[in-house]
Each structure stands twice: as structure tokens, then as C-alpha cells.
Amino acid sequence: MRLFLFFGALLGHIYCQETFVGDQVLEILPRDEEQIKNVVELAAEDHLQLDFWKSPTTPGQTVHVRVPFVSVQAVKVFLESQEIAYSIMIDDVQALVDKENEEMLFNQRRERNGNFNFGAYHSLEEISQKMDELVAEYPDLVSKVKIGYSFENRPMNVLKFSTGGDKPAIWLDAGIHAREWVTQATALWTANKIASDYGNDPSITSILDTMDIFLLPVTNPDGYVFSQTKNRMWRKTRSRVPGSLCVGVDPNRNWDAGFGGPGASSSPCSDSYHGPSANSEVEVKSIVDFIKTHGNIKAFITLHSYSQLLMFPYGYKCTKSDNFEELNEVAQKAANALKSLHGTSYKVGPICSVIYQASGGSIDWSYDFGIKYSFAFELRDTGRYGFLLPANQIVPTAEETWLGLKTIMEHVHDHPY
């Protein structure tokens, strides 16, 4: 086993792929404000190179952190010295990454016979190919709209589902954070579902007879490619930051909604770096420009992972939005529909109270722009695998998420404004 790990690490270095041999993900449970403060101080120790998957919020709420092998002992000693409870959530991150890679390779071989497997993770190229196939298979309903190019010049392709004419629309995106692979996979499954259900499912047929749906499966294409070829844990874009050796901006801290406020970092090396200015990221600006030009988007829904949450504004401030009651009711209804399939429980509420204050997020911008129905999903799981959700959970995740999405879309359809 050790030998296998050694060769895995060796191969990783040959292909310049970052490895996580011996890295652990710890689940930490701070019991009071003092312990939260200790964990926050730990996070500030740059030399430990900690990667927080779930940040410290309030006492009694778990924190998830990937600890590099070289820092594991130091972190455990610190937690024990402060009497902060913790357990090992993932014993060896690389073991999960290796399994994921093997499954992807196996699936690529299997798909050579032409059958696309929605229950597998795919490269950007494979996702693009499948999008083209959907356009070819459903030419009267599905078309491809290029809304711009990423920093590294990859096309940002949106699927447009439309029965023709000038209609109000629903916006849906996924994969703004590169490493959240279940979101891109869920979005692709969803695209296929919308296309195949039109004319068969009365609800979707009725929605598409009066509204268009725009779906962007890979919002951060450069980051996604980088997460598949170089560093599985990459979250940000790949833009170059003037005057810094660190690369990339957190695209979900880059929107013009309380930009640069709490919950975003001004340090270019941070995973939540907000960027030099609002909309500095071409990926964000392309969506903003598209939505402004369209002028009739009635819902804005974004898919993230993980934590099983369904949230609505605000994140950049902790005050209730004007439409709090309605948004809360719709989200509760959607979460109930989602739960009805596999029993997956979602927590519902405004971003600021469900997770933490976070500025520069997409749904805060869309809501302030006038798109009342603005929602963010955090898909499976609650931490057993985190960002490394096994591929056999893609389809169940997509199926249940679909019931939540459909509930929201039905409400939007029935409540024009």
C-alpha cells in the first residue's frame, strides 16, 4: 500500500499534479467563542497551509479543514492543548483523489462505445461535447449561446432552452468554484433532463411555453481544468494578479454587492480573495453583462457544494431582504420536495444566518439588480467526503436537486412580476 502511494505520488509529480498524500480533513467542534477565536487564529498561520472546507462560524457548528501531512501533528497538538474537540473526517485525501482519477479513466474507456454516463465526472472537453450533442438532439428547443471567454480564453457556453419568441427567463449556473465537481455534473444532468422532459412533463412544458431557461454548467472553466489537471483542491479563477505571485480570484466574492466587505479577503493568496475590483474577473463580468443586456431575467439560481443548504439573500449584510417571507417559503417548499426523494435534509435561510457574512456573492448582486427569485444551493454532502463526493452520488444528487429546482421554477412561473 505504501509502495502504491509512493508511485501515485511519483506519477503526480511527473505530471506536475499536486498530491495530497497523508493530508487529513479534520472536523473540529468549537464549543464557545474563545475556541472559535483559537480556530480563527490557527487559520491565520500561513505556514501551516490550511485549507478550510467549512469555515468557523458559531459555537457548536462544525469546522472542516484539510491539513497538509507536514502540519497534521502541529494542528492536532494545538487543538488538544486548547481542549478543542476534533475528529478525522478524511484519513488520507490522496486515497480519495486516486480513486476518483481511476474511476474517471475507467469511465473514459467505457464511454468510447458512445454512451454518455451522467453518473461520472467529466473533463471540460467532454462536457462541451455533450452540450453540443444536446443541441443537435433537440434543435427546436436547445441552442448554445457564447456569453464571453474566460481569462485563459476558453469559451463560456450557455445552453438556452426556448420554444421561441421574446420571453422572461430563468438563469441557472454551476461550478463557479472549480473544485465543486458535483455541481458541474449536476448541471449537465439537469440540461439533459430539461431537454428530454419538455413535451413529456406537464410542469416543465408549461414553464418553457412561457419562459426561457439559460444554463451555464461550467462558470469557471479555467479553474475547472486546473482542478482536473494540476490541483484537485483549486477553487478560484486563474487570472494573474498584478504585483502578486499568487494566482486567481474567488469569483463568488467578485460581484458588485457589498464588494470588499466581510467574508472576503484582500490578500491575493487567499482562497476567498475578492480581486482588485468588482467584476474584475471576466467570467463574472460576462454573466453580469449578459443579464443586464437580456433585461428580463426573473430568477437567478446558482449551484455550489457542499453542505446541503438552500440559501437566499443577503450574504453581504445580515438584515432581512424585502422579500424574506416569500423567499423563505419558496426555499422551504423546495427543500421539502428535494428531501422527498432520498431523504436528504437541507437547511434553509439567508446566507448570513445559515453560514456566515460573505460579501461580493452572485445572488446578492442579482437580487439587488431586481431579480427577486435569487437562490443558492449547496449540494451534497455534509462532510463525509466534502468536495470529493464519490461519482456514484452524482445522479442521486442531481435527481433530488431537480425536484428543488422545479419547485422554484414553478413558483417563478406562477408568480410573474
Side-chain angles (χ1 to χ4, degrees), residues 40-317:
V40 169
E41 281 167 9
L42 191 67
E45 297 290 335
D46 290 343
H47 67 279
L48 293 171
Q49 292 187 293
L50 303 181
D51 172 17
F52 278 82
W53 289 13
K54 196 173 167 219
S55 298
T57 52
T58 52
Q61 290 293 320
T62 55
V63 175
H64 298 156
V65 59
R66 178 178 61 82
V67 185
F69 176 65
V70 292
S71 303
V72 166
Q73 279 320 107
V75 170
K76 288 178 179 174
V77 166
F78 174 80
L79 293 171
E80 286 160 17
S81 73
Q82 303 299 317
E83 295 181 357
I84 301 172
Y86 74 89
S87 58
I88 297 168
M89 190 171 99
I90 297 173
D91 188 47
D92 183 358
V93 173
Q94 190 60 38
L96 289 182
V97 172
D98 287 341
K99 189 170 187 292
E100 191 175 66
N101 285 336
E102 281 164 28
E103 285 180 356
M104 280 182 80
L105 287 168
F106 176 73
N107 185 65
Q108 277 167 353
R109 287 198 296 271
R110 230 176 59 176
E111 283 185 0
R112 283 186 191 139
N113 65 11
N115 287 336
F116 189 87
N117 174 18
F118 285 98
Y121 292 117
H122 292 91
S123 67
L124 181 66
E125 201 180 335
E126 289 163 341
I127 291 173
S128 303
Q129 212 175 324
K130 186 62 193 174
M131 287 166 71
D132 288 341
E133 284 169 19
L134 284 174
V135 172
E137 196 179 340
Y138 302 96
D140 297 336
L141 182 71
V142 191
S143 58
K144 197 165 75 171
V145 181
K146 191 181 293 164
I147 64 164
Y149 288 88
S150 68
F151 181 83
E152 293 177 342
N153 220 30
R154 294 182 173 90
M156 291 184 65
N157 290 320
V158 172
L159 288 175
K160 179 183 182 182
F161 301 84
S162 177
T163 51
D166 200 11
K167 298 194 183 89
I170 291 166
W171 171 272
L172 178 61
D173 68 62
I176 194 166
H177 287 143
R179 63 187 175 184
E180 299 169 6
W181 288 9
V182 72
T183 70
Q184 296 95 335
T186 293
L188 198 56
W189 182 95
T190 302
N192 186 63
K193 182 73 174 161
I194 295 168
S196 56
D197 270 9
Y198 179 75
N200 298 312
D201 176 283
S203 166
I204 280 304
T205 305
S206 156
I207 289 166
L208 282 171
D209 281 343
T210 52
M211 302 188 86
D212 293 342
I213 297 173
F214 291 97
L215 171 55
L216 175 59
V218 188
T219 305
N220 177 6
D222 300 346
Y224 187 59
V225 169
F226 195 79
S227 74
Q228 293 209 330
T229 55
K230 295 283 192 272
N231 177 352
R232 177 63 183 87
M233 291 304 140
W234 190 258
R235 164 184 165 101
K236 300 191 284 181
T237 61
R238 293 295 301 163
S239 61
R240 301 298 177 272
V241 182
S244 173
L245 289 173
C246 292
V247 173
V249 165
D250 181 342
N252 206 42
R253 300 289 183 275
N254 190 242
W255 300 69
D256 195 4
F259 177 80
S265 172
S266 56
S267 160
C269 300
S270 164
D271 256 351
S272 55
Y273 173 50
H274 52 54
S277 58
N279 301 335
S280 63
E281 301 314 282
V282 65
E283 296 84 358
V284 171
K285 192 176 185 314
S286 298
I287 299 171
V288 168
D289 290 349
F290 174 79
I291 283 173
K292 284 181 171 177
T293 304
H294 185 283
N296 203 10
I297 305 279
K298 298 299 182 185
F300 185 109
I301 306 167
T302 183
L303 303 181
H304 288 252
S305 76
Y306 64 97
S307 282
Q308 293 169 202
L309 311 169
L310 178 45
M311 301 178 291
F312 46 88
Y314 282 107
Y316 73 86
K317 55 185 178 183

Side-chain angles (χ1 to χ4, degrees), residues 2-59:
R2 283 283 153 222
L3 198 66
F4 173 75
L5 283 175
F6 170 74
F7 281 116
L10 197 66
L11 279 172
H13 287 302
I14 291 166
Y15 291 107
C16 299
Q17 200 161 4
E18 191 158 327
T19 57
F20 306 95
V21 178
D23 288 17
Q24 293 188 337
V25 178
L26 303 183
E27 179 169 87
I28 302 169
L29 189 59
R31 64 167 183 266
D32 54 34
E33 288 298 342
E34 182 62 25
Q35 292 196 342
I36 295 252
K37 197 162 128 285
N38 289 333
V39 176
V40 169
E41 281 167 9
L42 191 67
E45 297 290 335
D46 290 343
H47 67 279
L48 293 171
Q49 292 187 293
L50 303 181
D51 172 17
F52 278 82
W53 289 13
K54 196 173 167 219
S55 298
T57 52
T58 52

